[in-house]
Amino acid sequence: MPMLWLDPLAWLVEAGGPVLVVIIGVAVLLFSLGLERWWFFRFHYRPARHALVARWVAREDHVSWSALTLREIWARELITRLRAPLPWLKLLVVICPLFGLLGTVTGMITVFDSLSVSEVNQARAMADGVARATLPTLSGMAVSVVGLLFIARLEHIIRREDQRLHDRLARAAEDAHA
């Protein structure tokens, strides 16, 4: 039994050309990084945040300059781990429309090349070629927009968690002295 559920994907790759395969690869990488960030936040960041607060509370000194500097360093290290893949995500989002443009250009070259060879049914060949050329652009832009939305949400979460971490550390120190 052939895998019929792969037929639409095969048609899409055939219609969009080899550049669309690259865009699909970038999209898979982008969304894999997004899933990894969710996993990291859910299962690694939260326990690390609780451990950091517990380590801060266990210290005797919470008010000296060196203690506050140490608290800031610990918080920055944890937030930096949360922020680590952002440059890669931004790079992938920027690359997607460029690959789409590359697909459009190569598709149009193919259209003009086929028009110069065949003299029959030129309008149909031109319409098919333009459709094939614009599919990578559409795909690249769609992946890029979804990636931008994800990056904006991730940056919002990072800013929120940075503030929450500082608030929790300050509250923990106050509760320890009370």
Side-chain angles (χ1 to χ4, degrees), residues 98-132:
L98 296 176
F99 277 132
L101 183 61
L102 177 66
T104 299
V105 170
T106 57
M108 291 308 290
I109 288 172
T110 305
V111 167
F112 292 135
D113 188 46
S114 68
L115 287 178
S116 68
V117 173
S118 75
E119 297 175 5
V120 293
N121 206 4
Q122 287 187 1
R124 177 69 180 158
M126 180 93 163
D128 288 343
V130 169
R132 180 183 174 129

Side-chain angles (χ1 to χ4, degrees), residues 15-161:
V19 176
L20 191 59
V21 175
V22 174
I23 292 171
I24 291 171
V26 170
V28 166
L29 185 60
L30 180 69
F31 299 124
S32 296
L33 279 172
L35 183 61
E36 183 274 334
R37 278 297 88 186
W38 174 81
W39 184 269
F40 177 82
F41 181 74
R42 188 94 170 142
F43 298 107
H44 295 285
Y45 172 77
R46 288 179 177 172
R49 182 183 63 203
H50 293 300
L52 176 61
V53 171
R55 189 170 25 152
W56 176 247
V57 169
R59 288 182 49 87
E60 291 182 19
D61 179 21
H62 294 127
V63 293
S64 70
W65 176 83
S66 61
L68 294 176
T69 303
L70 183 61
R71 182 181 82 176
E72 184 65 26
I73 289 170
W74 286 349
R76 286 287 145 226
E77 286 175 354
L78 190 57
I79 294 299
T80 300
R81 288 176 49 203
L82 191 59
R83 188 183 300 275
L86 265 176
W88 291 106
L89 289 167
K90 289 178 180 180
L91 175 71
L92 292 174
V93 165
V94 168
I95 284 175
C96 282
L98 296 176
F99 277 132
L101 183 61
L102 177 66
T104 299
V105 170
T106 57
M108 291 308 290
I109 288 172
T110 305
V111 167
F112 292 135
D113 188 46
S114 68
L115 287 178
S116 68
V117 173
S118 75
E119 297 175 5
V120 293
N121 206 4
Q122 287 187 1
R124 177 69 180 158
M126 180 93 163
D128 288 343
V130 169
R132 180 183 174 129
T134 56
L135 189 59
T137 303
L138 173 67
S139 301
M141 294 300 272
V143 170
S144 184
V145 165
V146 171
L148 280 173
L149 293 173
F150 174 73
I151 288 172
R153 179 70 179 148
L154 183 60
E155 286 178 335
H156 171 74
I157 289 170
I158 291 170
R159 281 191 305 273
R160 183 191 69 204
E161 286 302 315

